[in-house]
Structure formats: C-alpha cells, structure tokens
Amino acid sequence: MGTVYPALDGRLREFVEAQPMFFVATAPSGAEGHVNVSPKGMRGTFVVLGPHRVAWLDYHGSGAETIAHLRDNGRITLMFCAFDGPPKILRLHGRGVATPVTDPGFAALLAAFPDPPDLHAVRAVIDVAVERVSDSCGFAVPLMDYRGDRDLLLTSHSRRTADDLVTYRATKNAASIDGLPVF
C-alpha cells in the first residue's frame, strides 16, 4: 500500500527532479476515446514550481494527445519511477493547462526553466496544478542505467523554420487520434 502526501516537497521533490524520464497519462472525457500514455525526458525540460505545481516543455512530436485531452477536461497523471537506487514510484494527479508558444503568457512560463535545451521546437508549456501526490513500492520496476539524453528530437526539428513549425502544428498536430482539437 502506498502513501498519500500533502505536497510535493523535500525528498519527494528531490526524487522527481532527479529522474531523467517520466510518464504522462491523459484521456478524453466520457467512456469513448483512447487513453494516452507518453514518456517524457530531456534534462532541463521539467520544473517543480511549488509544492502543488509542476511544468514541462512540450516539444513538437508525432502527436498532441496530451494537449487535446487537457483542453477537453484537464485531467492528468504524471508517473516517476526509480530505475536505479531504492525502488519507488511517485504519481502526481492533477489538472493541467497547455500554454502554446502563441499565447501571451508563454514567455512568463518559459522563464521558470533555468537551463532548458534548445527551445526552437517547443510548442507549449504544460502547467499542472497537483491535487494528489502518492507513492507505491516500485519493487517490480527494473534497474536500468541512464546513459544520456537522445538529441534526435532537437536535431530533427532544427531543420524546420519557425514557419515550418506553424505548418507542422496546423497539419500534424491539429487533432488528437480521436478527433479532438489541439490548438
């Protein structure tokens, strides 16, 4: 049985900030539609903004399910796993908002990231109001070695101009797999 914590602070904050990877889960409203789970990573793209608030830089990718689901209902869960050291799984349940690069509030949110990687292909900041912090044992999570971040996401978009990225969002990220609007 896991523990529910009043906030993300102290050793829980340290644990989250030390993880090179986390998972994001969202789903559309109602009984229909697909549940989405996405792995996230890259050093400098995740920040803890307070005991009940986290954010990450969302880059252009193959889909935009998270943003579409957040527009639909705001529900989100983040999961962090210890792949080295003592076993632990930490989940952050909450409500998220996507602030796209075109939003006037984007620059203020971006300022919260002290050491982000190349920002050229960022399409939004995902800002999560954390409502529940809980852990579980993680006894079955394998031990793995972190060798470093991949640079493929950044290099693949480096060839695109700012106008190309606008077109990318309008064509490849216009709707979720269930037809929900993204931007």
Side-chain angles (χ1 to χ4, degrees):
M1 197 66 172
T3 303
V4 176
Y5 299 92
L8 178 64
D9 55 14
R11 64 183 174 79
L12 297 176
R13 180 181 181 140
E14 291 170 11
F15 172 77
V16 163
E17 292 176 333
Q19 302 315 306
M21 179 179 161
F22 62 100
F23 300 89
V24 175
T26 58
S29 297
E32 300 301 317
H34 295 83
V35 174
N36 185 61
V37 179
S38 294
K40 302 293 178 189
M42 288 198 305
R43 295 287 183 189
T45 63
F46 180 86
V47 292
V48 176
L49 299 172
H52 295 101
R53 189 171 170 218
V54 298
W56 78 89
L57 300 175
D58 184 61
Y59 285 78
H60 289 83
S62 57
E65 302 305 300
T66 300
I67 295 172
H69 293 162
L70 293 179
R71 283 191 69 200
D72 182 47
N73 60 42
R75 297 176 303 164
I76 190 165
T77 300
L78 284 65
M79 183 177 75
F80 300 81
C81 300
F83 293 109
D84 64 358
K88 179 185 253 340
I89 297 170
L90 188 74
R91 289 179 183 87
L92 307 177
H93 299 263
R95 297 276 173 192
V97 174
T99 303
V101 297
T102 55
D103 188 285
F106 178 80
L109 284 170
L110 187 60
F113 293 84
D115 192 25
D118 185 351
L119 298 171
H120 173 66
V122 173
R123 65 181 169 196
V125 172
I126 308 298
D127 188 351
V128 178
V130 177
E131 299 169 346
R132 186 176 194 269
V133 178
S134 64
D135 70 3
S136 55
C137 68
F139 291 171
V141 174
L143 290 169
M144 296 190 288
D145 294 322
Y146 172 70
R147 296 189 325 201
D149 291 336
R150 296 178 192 264
D151 66 354
L152 293 173
L153 182 64
L154 298 178
T155 59
S156 69
H157 290 303
S158 68
R159 296 181 294 275
R160 293 186 169 101
T161 67
D163 288 340
D164 292 339
L165 293 173
V166 169
T167 301
Y168 189 98
R169 286 192 300 274
T171 57
K172 297 185 188 278
N173 292 160
S176 74
I177 58 176
D178 296 316
L180 295 172
V182 176
F183 294 106

